[in-house]
Amino acid sequence: MKEELSNKIKSQFASMAIYKDPTSTNSLFVGRNLPSFVKDFILKRFIKENGETDKQLLTSWLDEVIPHESVKDKLGQGEQLTLLVRFVVYIDLLKNIYRFAIPDLGIKLNEGQIPEYVFSKHKGTLVDGEMWGIIKICLLPNEDGKKYHVEMVDYKPFKPYKSVDINYLQEARKNFTTDEWLDVLLSAMEYDASGFKSIQQKIEFLTRLLIFVEPRLNVIELAPKGTGKSYVFGNLSKYGWLVSGGKVTRAKLFYDKQKQQNGIIKNHDFTAFDEIQTIEFQEPAEIQAALKSYLESGKTTIDNNEFSSECGLMLMGNIPLTAEHLPINNRYFDSLPKNFRESALLDRFHCFIEGWYLPRINKSMIFKGWTINVEYFSEILHALRTQNQYSLLFDELVTFEKEADMRDFTAVKRITTAYMKLLFPHWTKKEDVNINEFDVYCLQPAIRRRGIIKEQCHNIDPEFKMQMPNIEVIR
């Protein structure tokens, strides 16, 4: 069955498919810490006509663009280098200076400069924040002739797919059953579906992708360690930002008034806080106030500057479990940091993932076979964010009681719409929809996940009502 599905993926997705062999891939990229979307981009460049990877050419290219020797030494010797790197851009509007840093290579913001001609050529892609790309750099003297700086003389955005065809995805999806499609999505995330014991486990795991496809969907996941949280949010998309430990300020998240620079929430599809218990939130009262406003409307005001974004937020934390692998008590939010344990803040989150149902990731769960390459997959998820037909479909398919709380309505609609995009992208009009599947896979999980948020808010503050409004499919 697995081989049959693997070949079906190869057939339906053609040039967007890639053969995954984790043993071979790990050997090729040993010593180079690259996310999956970068690895797949590289592998696709060096696949021969017979489907095998030209390992010698790939290794030579890696040695050239990710050298083992000190990059600073090479620059100091007058070499011009072409590098595949993760770098950070900082735009200083006051001084009209564009700077960059390469943290992994020790090049700091005050050392890297982007000239006007490079910035103008790539306006819209060279924005504040972290990104991947192929850049050409060299060491040049400053205007005073006394000191030097690292100059970016060329830049190639890391975007193998300039655009993706949603219609192609929709047509391909029609050739898979729902059970098959769940396994396709898991394989695209680089996991073997046979490692999941039930459809419930698969859905729980795939729910992590909802914030990839739906704007301003806010999610909380509490799970034991080893369930793959960091891997999913740090490896599958360049459009997300994973915060793992360290200090977090309001300026870093939203807007830095001193630098006149937007924070990480501005230019990303989602921001995920991993191991949230270990993150130190400075000025917690200010961050909490900004988060309340942003989670509610997508806007907040920072020092008289209005900030807006379509970025979703994900809180991920650990939760103590019993021997039966269930939470030790029914107050789940007690596992969150004290600054987040406020009902008025938590009620603004839409969705809860019960991570204790997920399997612990082991070596046998890493996928081997034909699947959708991660770079294409991430672009598809990104493109689905702006497809509004699924939201319009929801309005045709669902009835709410008139007195329903707006937060409940918004939450259920966003979660349901996200499930449709992810699981049933081929449903573009009412006649396409299988009502039973819509109810089972989209609407009921949305009601339940929002219901958990309400129940946990009630545990903190009894004034919050636990009961969800009456929400039904129009049959």
Side-chain angles (χ1 to χ4, degrees):
M1 178 64 182
K2 177 183 171 182
E3 186 177 347
E4 182 182 330
L5 181 60
S6 187
N7 289 329
K8 195 172 181 179
I9 294 170
K10 180 183 177 184
S11 170
Q12 291 298 322
F13 286 96
S15 63
M16 285 81 78
I18 190 170
Y19 186 81
K20 292 291 183 73
D21 183 347
T23 304
S24 174
T25 301
N26 289 340
S27 298
L28 283 170
F29 292 101
V30 67
R32 296 181 169 100
N33 187 18
L34 300 173
S36 295
F37 60 85
V38 174
K39 289 179 184 176
D40 278 10
F41 159 73
I42 296 170
L43 287 170
K44 291 288 286 182
R45 286 178 62 127
F46 295 96
I47 289 180
K48 296 184 284 189
E49 289 184 7
N50 62 3
E52 294 181 4
T53 302
D54 191 325
K55 298 176 182 178
Q56 186 174 350
L57 268 180
L58 186 152
T59 302
S60 298
W61 187 77
L62 282 175
D63 288 340
E64 181 182 338
V65 299
I66 311 176
H68 291 292
E69 304 91 341
S70 169
V71 166
K72 285 192 170 183
D73 286 347
K74 284 176 168 285
L75 290 171
Q77 293 167 15
E79 291 188 43
Q80 186 177 85
L81 304 176
T82 300
L83 305 173
L84 171 64
V85 290
R86 174 182 68 96
F87 62 100
V88 180
V89 172
Y90 167 54
I91 302 169
D92 189 332
L93 293 176
L94 292 179
K95 297 179 181 178
N96 197 30
I97 294 175
Y98 315 106
R99 298 191 178 278
F100 75 97
I102 310 178
D104 298 335
L105 300 179
I107 296 174
K108 301 172 185 176
L109 271 177
N110 62 351
E111 297 174 323
Q113 290 186 22
I114 306 172
E116 174 67 37
Y117 72 90
V118 173
F119 183 81
S120 298
K121 182 180 177 182
H122 299 285
K123 211 165 189 177
T125 55
L126 279 173
V127 295
D128 278 327
E130 180 185 277
M131 59 195 68
W132 280 86
I134 298 174
I135 62 175
K136 189 177 288 185
I137 59 174
C138 64
L139 196 66
L140 293 178
N142 293 344
E143 290 182 1
D144 60 13
K146 296 178 182 179
K147 295 183 179 179
Y148 289 79
H149 67 271
V150 180
E151 183 147 327
M152 184 187 297
V153 295
D154 199 8
Y155 163 60
K156 184 178 180 181
F158 182 77
K159 197 173 177 67
Y161 297 93
K162 293 183 179 178
S163 63
V164 289
D165 188 348
I166 295 294
N167 292 329
Y168 188 96
L169 171 76
Q170 291 165 340
E171 288 301 314
R173 169 63 180 89
K174 293 176 183 178
N175 296 288
F176 296 88
T177 66
T178 299
D179 285 350
E180 286 178 334
W181 189 247
L182 296 179
D183 293 355
V184 170
L185 293 173
L186 289 169
S187 72
M189 297 172 75
E190 303 190 315
Y191 291 99
D192 192 320
S194 64
F196 295 81
K197 296 178 182 178
S198 64
I199 287 181
Q200 181 192 19
Q201 271 196 347
K202 292 178 182 180
I203 294 293
E204 206 70 40
F205 197 84
L206 291 171
T207 299
R208 289 173 170 172
L209 294 180
L210 297 189
I211 62 170
F212 288 63
V213 298
E214 183 66 14
R216 287 206 301 113
L217 180 65
N218 305 312
V219 183
I220 298 173
E221 176 182 342
L222 297 177
K225 293 181 179 180
T227 54
K229 298 189 295 294
S230 305
Y231 188 82
V232 168
F233 296 102
N235 279 272
L236 297 185
S237 176
K238 61 178 175 286
Y239 296 107
W241 187 289
L242 179 67
V243 179
S244 300
K247 296 180 180 179
V248 173
T249 64
R250 187 180 65 167
K252 183 177 179 180
L253 286 180
F254 294 102
Y255 182 78
D256 190 321
K257 182 182 178 182
Q258 187 175 5
K259 296 180 179 178
Q260 293 193 346
Q261 183 181 17
N262 283 313
I264 57 180
I265 289 176
K266 183 65 177 181
N267 295 314
H268 292 90
D269 288 354
F270 62 85
T271 299
F273 297 94
D274 191 20
E275 304 281 356
I276 193 165
Q277 294 96 334
T278 68
I279 296 173
E280 181 183 341
F281 290 91
Q282 296 186 322
E283 309 136 356
E286 291 184 358
I287 291 179
Q288 192 181 77
L291 278 174
K292 278 184 186 177
S293 175
Y294 177 74
L295 291 171
E296 185 74 20
S297 64
K299 298 178 181 179
T300 191
T301 302
I302 308 294
D303 298 320
N304 297 321
N305 293 289
E306 185 175 87
F307 174 94
S308 65
S309 175
E310 292 295 299
C311 178
L313 295 187
M314 179 87 173
L315 302 185
M316 298 184 291
N318 299 319
I319 186 169
L321 303 178
T322 65
E324 290 75 33
H325 217 64
L326 294 171
I328 60 174
N329 64 58
N330 66 350
R331 296 177 60 89
Y332 304 159
F333 290 162
D334 285 356
S335 295
L336 294 174
K338 186 177 179 180
N339 295 322
F340 279 89
R341 270 180 261 155
E342 187 196 355
S343 53
L345 173 65
L346 293 167
D347 189 42
R348 288 162 164 82
F349 282 85
H350 308 114
C351 178
F352 187 87
I353 298 177
E354 298 168 287
W356 48 89
Y357 290 124
L358 297 175
R360 186 173 177 85
I361 303 301
N362 59 67
K363 192 175 180 181
S364 69
M365 293 179 68
I366 307 305
F367 183 78
K368 181 178 181 180
W370 285 96
T371 185
I372 302 169
N373 82 72
V374 174
E375 178 57 22
Y376 173 75
F377 185 55
S378 73
E379 290 293 340
I380 280 290
L381 298 178
H382 176 68
L384 282 168
R385 293 174 71 82
T386 55
Q387 301 295 308
N388 64 2
Q389 63 264 42
Y390 306 99
S391 178
L392 297 173
L393 260 181
F394 175 90
D395 295 335
E396 292 186 68
L397 296 168
V398 177
T399 177
F400 265 76
E401 63 180 74
K402 291 182 180 178
E403 291 76 21
D405 183 273
M406 272 306 297
R407 286 182 186 165
D408 294 338
F409 174 81
T410 300
V412 171
K413 181 172 183 177
R414 286 186 187 169
I415 299 168
T416 304
T417 300
Y419 274 127
M420 281 196 284
K421 291 176 179 180
L422 187 65
L423 305 181
F424 306 100
H426 58 308
W427 290 351
T428 57
K429 53 186 185 297
K430 190 175 181 180
E431 294 74 28
D432 298 331
V433 178
N434 180 312
I435 294 297
N436 288 332
E437 286 196 318
F438 171 77
D439 197 32
V440 170
Y441 288 99
C442 303
L443 182 59
Q444 293 307 319
I447 295 170
R448 181 171 60 84
R449 294 184 189 284
R450 171 58 184 171
I452 296 172
I453 296 286
K454 292 199 71 169
E455 179 184 345
Q456 295 306 313
C457 286
H458 175 80
N459 288 342
I460 295 173
D461 183 353
E463 288 188 14
F464 274 80
K465 295 180 181 179
M466 288 177 58
Q467 187 174 354
M468 285 290 289
N470 188 37
I471 307 165
E472 296 179 346
V473 176
I474 301 172
R475 295 184 183 269

